[in-house]
Each structure stands twice: as C-alpha cells, then as structure tokens.
C-alpha cells in the first residue's frame, strides 16, 4: 500500500523466468556450471512476504535440483494447478477444427490491406518422448556397454568428442526421467497437486523439450526441512516426471485459464536432422508452430497452428510470449503482427499490425475481448473486438438533436 519493499528474490540468469507458485510464494532459479557443457539448475521456493526477524524461520528453500545436459538450461518456468480441472475448457476434435478453418476469413487490423492471411498448414506432429519401460535396459547399463564398445574397438573410431558427449547425453536422459506413476495425473477436482512446467533440452542448448515435475502439497511451503534430503546418495539430481520433445526451438508457452491445456510456440527443426555438436543446433523454420498439449493425458491435441512467422536464426532466436483466454489464444510474431485464434475451432480471427516485431500479448483478465500487444516499435496497443465496441457504443446516451430541441421549445 505504501510501496514498501517486501522481499528480494535472487533469479540468475534472468531468462529463468521465475513464476508464482501461489499467492505467497514465488519460484526462482540459479544456474551453476559443472563442466564445459554440463550445468545444474536449482529452483528455489521464496516467501514473498519476508517480514520475519527470526533466524530460525525459513524464507527461502531449495525446491529442485535438475541436471542440464549438452549446454541446455532451464528457462521458462510456470506452474499448472490441477485443482482447476473441474471445469475444463474442452477443445473440439480434429475434424471439426479442420472443417471450421476452411470457411473463416482473417481480419487484418491496423493496416490498409484487405488480403486474407494464409490458411494454416499441417506440420508434422512432434514426438512425445516415451518413458523407459521397467523391462528396458537401464541407462547406466547402456553407458557401460558404450564405454566397453569403445575400449574393445566395436564403436567406429571416427566418433568425435562432441558426438560421444551427445551419445552419452541420450543415455543419461533415460535416467533423468522416472517411470510414470499410475496416479501421476489426478482426476480428483479437489486435488492440490501442481506441476512445474519448464523448457529444457538434452541434445543442444536450444530449448527443445518441456520438462514436467510434480510439486507435492508438503513441498509448497518454506517451512520444514530442506527438500531433497530424502534422496539416496546416488540421486544427486531430481528426476523429471515427464518430458515432451518438440523437435524444434521452443520460443513461447502459455496455459489455458483452466490449466488443462499447454500452448507452445516453436520453430521446427528439419525432419530427420541429426545433432552431432550440442553447440551447433539445427536450422529452424521461419513458420512458428503453435502446439496444444492436454496436461491431463500428456498428449498433443491433433491439430497444430502454423500461421505466424519468425526470421531470426537459431543462435539469435528470442522468446515470443503468448496468452490464452477462455475462448481465444493470441501470440506475437516477427512479421510485425499479433494474431488471435479461436481456441475451440483453431480459426485465425485477426491480424494486429505493428511497425516491428510483436514480442508479447496479454488478454485482460476481466474482459477476454480486450487484448494488449507490445512491440519493438516502442508502442503498446490496445485492441477490442467489434462486438465489444458495439456494446460500448450502445450504452452511451445519444445527444438530442438541436432541431428537435428547438421544436419542443416552440411548442411550449
């Protein structure tokens, strides 16, 4: 109320993109280098209201410690609340989306052009990484077989150091994700379980995977012992509950209001590309794919949108924020436009013109037909739907005509 500083939260590097866990606690992150291309991301739970004098009361506590392979790091971090699943915003199936998208025009707002936007194409579906079965070969056995093959000369001698590190990382990632538990995704509407969702990777520094880690109720407070002390001595890092591989550079993520669906902006890698050097990621497409994942089933909704574009190369690629409301999803793009789609029919409804890259969009939390777009042209624009404008204009009292007033005065 009086702008007094309540707390300071350490978040380094800045692109960890910390987030709120609940109304009193935030999640932040630190990056620690372990080797040339290996690091560790530590995620912290912070009490946002730290007005406590006692040295015996925790205000910061370690939440998770996650290993980063092949120069990758944790960047975007968000929390999905499973208790909101009781009234999900269900999406239409693929056939209904396809039928609707072929009949809807795209309105280009803010420009003089009446040209309709290109119809979205159907990109190849990204692969969801399958977790290792209980009967599969453990990762440590696979590593041992690899090293034995090298020593015995069975592995081709032309394998470079970076190719070897990539092979090791692929084996390590199996040990990085634990098998899913039967009750991984609770259907109970009263469940207090939350999921930490973040961008990560295992093959290159480009964020190409989505990691999901369950946050249990007893982990949502800074009170009590430091989390992670229950690990065995050989479990130095926390394992992930689920990993989704996008097969491309992830440049944006957003949750639907019910936290049931995860929307992901990505730029695809070439099909069947092989990464031999983690410091040399594959080239990325100019088209931005907007994928939708159902967090209740961990499956991708059939249809992906491809209607907005980006042009920067992989090493210069930056984040483009998107936002989701009850009925719409919006995103920026590097083609100097913001975009709005209908969530349920996957129809592109409008293009919102700027003079430079549109980095971020945000729906009003009160009125979903009001959207803000922020651009490198140093402007923030506010957009309302035609329907909302008609309603606002109908509520305004109409001024009485001067001639009508004069006639009334003459009669009196």
């Amino acid at each position: 109320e009086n702008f007094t500083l309540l707390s300071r939260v350490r978040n380094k590097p800045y692109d960890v993109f910390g987030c709120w866990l609940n109304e009193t606690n935030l999640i932040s992150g630190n990056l620690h280098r372990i080797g040339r291309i290996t690091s560790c991301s530590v995620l912290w739970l912070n009490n946002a209201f730290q007005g406590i004098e006692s040295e015996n009361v925790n205000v910061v506590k370690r939440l998770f410690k996650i290993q980063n392979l092949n120069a990758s790091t944790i960047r975007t971090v968000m929390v999905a609340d499973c208790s909101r699943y009781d009234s999900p915003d269900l999406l239409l199936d693929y056939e209904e989306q396809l039928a609707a998208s072929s009949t809807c025009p795209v309105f280009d707002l803010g420009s003089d052009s009446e040209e309709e936007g290109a119809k979205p194409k159907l990109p190849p579906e990204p692969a969801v990484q399958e977790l290792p079965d209980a009967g599969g070969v453990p990762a440590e056995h696979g590593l041992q077989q690899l090293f034995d093959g090298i020593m015995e000369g069975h592995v081709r001698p032309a394998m470079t150091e970076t190719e070897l590190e990539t092979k090791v990382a692929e084996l390590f990632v199996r040990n990085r994700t634990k098998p899913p538990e039967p009750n991984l995704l609770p259907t109970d509407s009263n469940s207090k379980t939350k999921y930490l969702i973040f961008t990560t990777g295992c093959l290159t520094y480009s964020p190409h995977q989505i990691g999901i880690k369950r946050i249990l109720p007893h982990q949502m407070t800074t009170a009590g012992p430091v989390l992670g002390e229950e690990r065995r001595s050989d479990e130095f890092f926390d394992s992930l509950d689920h990993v989704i591989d996008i097969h491309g550079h992830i440049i944006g993520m957003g949750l639907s209001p019910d936290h049931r669906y995860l929307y992901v902006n990505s730029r695809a890698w070439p099909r069947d590309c092989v990464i031999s050097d983690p410091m040399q990621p594959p080239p990325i497409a100019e088209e931005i794919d907007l994928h939708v994942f159902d967090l209740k089933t961990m499956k991708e909704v059939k249809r992906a949108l491809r209607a907005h574009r980006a042009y920067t190369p992989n090493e210069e690629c930056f984040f483009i924020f998107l936002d989701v409301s009850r009925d719409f999803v919006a995103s920026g793009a590097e083609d100097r436009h913001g975009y709005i789609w209908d969530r349920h029919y996957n129809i592109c409804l409008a293009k919102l013109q700027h003079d430079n890259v549109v980095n971020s969009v945000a729906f009003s939390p009160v009125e979903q037909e009001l959207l803000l777009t922020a651009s490198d042209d140093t402007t923030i624009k506010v957009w309302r739907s035609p329907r909302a404008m008609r309603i606002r204009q109908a509520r305004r009292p109409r001024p009485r005509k001067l001639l009508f007033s004069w006639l009334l005065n003459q009669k009196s």
Side-chain angles (χ1 to χ4, degrees):
E1 186 175 344
N2 56 1
F3 296 97
T4 302
L5 179 65
L6 296 177
S7 61
R8 295 179 63 191
V9 175
R10 181 182 178 90
N11 198 67
K12 187 177 181 180
Y14 70 92
D15 59 359
V16 171
F17 292 169
C19 65
W20 287 91
L21 172 65
N22 49 39
E23 293 182 355
T24 58
N25 295 96
L26 326 132
I27 295 175
S28 64
N30 289 112
L31 180 66
H32 302 278
R33 296 291 177 187
I34 299 176
R36 185 175 66 90
I37 58 174
T38 305
S39 63
C40 170
S41 289
V42 179
L43 299 175
W44 301 87
L45 189 64
N46 305 267
N47 192 332
F49 308 101
Q50 299 177 7
I52 299 174
E53 298 291 339
S54 173
E55 296 180 356
N56 299 320
V57 178
N58 293 333
V59 293
V60 179
K61 190 165 63 174
R62 190 180 70 218
L63 188 58
F64 300 120
K65 187 192 301 183
I66 298 172
Q67 184 183 23
N68 301 314
L69 303 170
N70 279 334
S72 65
T73 60
I74 289 178
R75 298 187 184 181
T76 314
V77 179
M78 59 180 58
V79 172
D81 186 352
C82 298
S83 65
R84 300 192 185 189
Y85 287 178
D86 53 353
S87 56
D89 302 327
L90 295 178
L91 301 179
L92 298 179
D93 62 24
Y94 174 73
E95 287 75 15
E96 291 174 292
Q97 295 171 11
L98 187 62
S101 64
S102 61
T103 60
C104 181
V106 178
F107 298 96
D108 194 347
L109 304 182
S111 69
D112 297 329
S113 173
E114 297 182 359
E115 179 182 356
E116 292 186 2
K119 294 179 182 178
K121 303 175 184 178
L122 297 180
E125 296 182 15
V128 177
Q129 177 172 321
E130 295 294 335
L131 303 181
D133 296 329
V137 179
E140 57 269 21
H141 293 172
L143 285 173
Q144 189 61 51
Q145 292 176 4
L146 174 65
F147 295 142
D148 291 344
I150 294 174
M151 297 300 295
E152 297 172 6
H154 299 316
V155 177
R156 58 187 179 90
M159 182 178 287
T160 65
E161 179 183 353
T162 53
E163 288 175 332
L164 177 60
E165 289 191 42
T166 301
K167 183 66 175 178
V168 171
E170 291 174 347
L171 293 170
F172 260 124
V173 79
R174 294 177 55 191
N175 206 29
R176 189 183 186 213
T177 308
K178 64 184 181 182
E181 300 173 14
N183 59 346
L184 174 64
L185 297 169
T187 56
D188 182 7
S189 61
N190 297 320
S191 172
K192 296 182 179 179
T193 303
K194 296 186 178 184
Y195 288 95
L196 187 69
I197 301 172
F198 49 87
T199 57
T200 181
C202 69
L203 299 177
T204 177
Y205 66 84
S206 298
H208 58 95
Q209 292 179 324
I210 299 169
I212 299 176
K213 179 68 177 175
R214 180 168 52 181
I215 308 175
L216 300 176
H218 74 275
Q219 297 173 323
M220 299 183 193
T221 173
T222 55
V226 174
L227 301 178
E229 289 186 345
E230 67 276 6
R231 295 193 203 98
R232 302 196 311 265
S233 59
D234 60 339
E235 294 177 334
F236 187 74
F237 299 105
D238 290 289
S239 58
L240 307 185
D241 289 310
H242 198 71
V243 174
I244 301 173
D245 200 319
I246 299 296
H247 196 73
H249 192 133
I250 300 171
I251 60 171
M253 293 201 305
L255 285 167
S256 61
D258 64 350
H259 286 205
R260 169 81 180 265
Y261 297 96
L262 176 67
Y263 287 73
V264 181
N265 268 340
S266 74
R267 296 173 61 184
W269 289 338
R271 187 190 299 269
D272 301 326
C273 67
V274 176
I275 302 175
S276 59
D277 184 352
M279 305 309 294
Q280 297 292 328
I284 50 180
E286 290 185 352
E287 294 85 5
I288 302 174
D289 295 334
L290 181 55
H291 303 282
V292 187
F293 294 93
D294 186 342
L295 295 180
K296 198 166 187 177
T297 62
M298 294 296 176
K299 301 294 183 181
E300 182 180 9
V301 177
K302 276 289 186 182
R303 189 150 189 274
L305 292 168
R306 179 177 280 188
H308 47 325
R309 300 175 72 85
Y311 307 105
T312 51
N314 212 336
E315 65 272 11
E316 299 175 10
C317 190
F318 53 85
F319 216 73
I320 293 180
F321 292 88
L322 54 90
D323 197 16
V324 187
S325 70
R326 185 185 71 251
D327 298 313
F328 309 111
V329 56
S331 173
E334 290 186 48
D335 58 7
R336 302 181 181 182
H337 286 87
Y339 289 82
I340 301 177
W341 295 272
D342 185 293
R343 278 187 59 203
H344 310 287
Y345 292 93
N346 271 18
I347 299 169
C348 186
L349 299 174
K351 294 171 63 177
L352 314 174
Q353 188 181 45
H354 276 267
D355 295 328
N356 210 324
V357 173
V358 179
N359 293 300
S360 183
V361 298
F363 286 105
S364 164
V366 178
E367 180 185 352
Q368 69 166 350
E369 295 183 34
L370 186 149
L371 178 76
L372 274 67
T373 56
S375 168
D376 278 355
D377 63 12
T378 69
T379 65
I380 296 176
K381 293 186 177 182
V382 183
W383 309 83
R384 286 188 187 275
S385 70
R387 190 189 74 89
M389 290 301 298
R390 288 195 299 269
I391 293 175
R392 288 173 61 86
Q393 291 171 355
R395 291 174 180 170
R396 295 176 182 174
R398 296 182 178 180
R400 299 174 66 182
K401 298 289 185 179
L402 292 177
L403 178 61
F404 183 66
S405 301
W406 180 79
L407 288 173
L408 288 178
N409 291 333
Q410 292 298 319
K411 290 180 180 180
S412 60

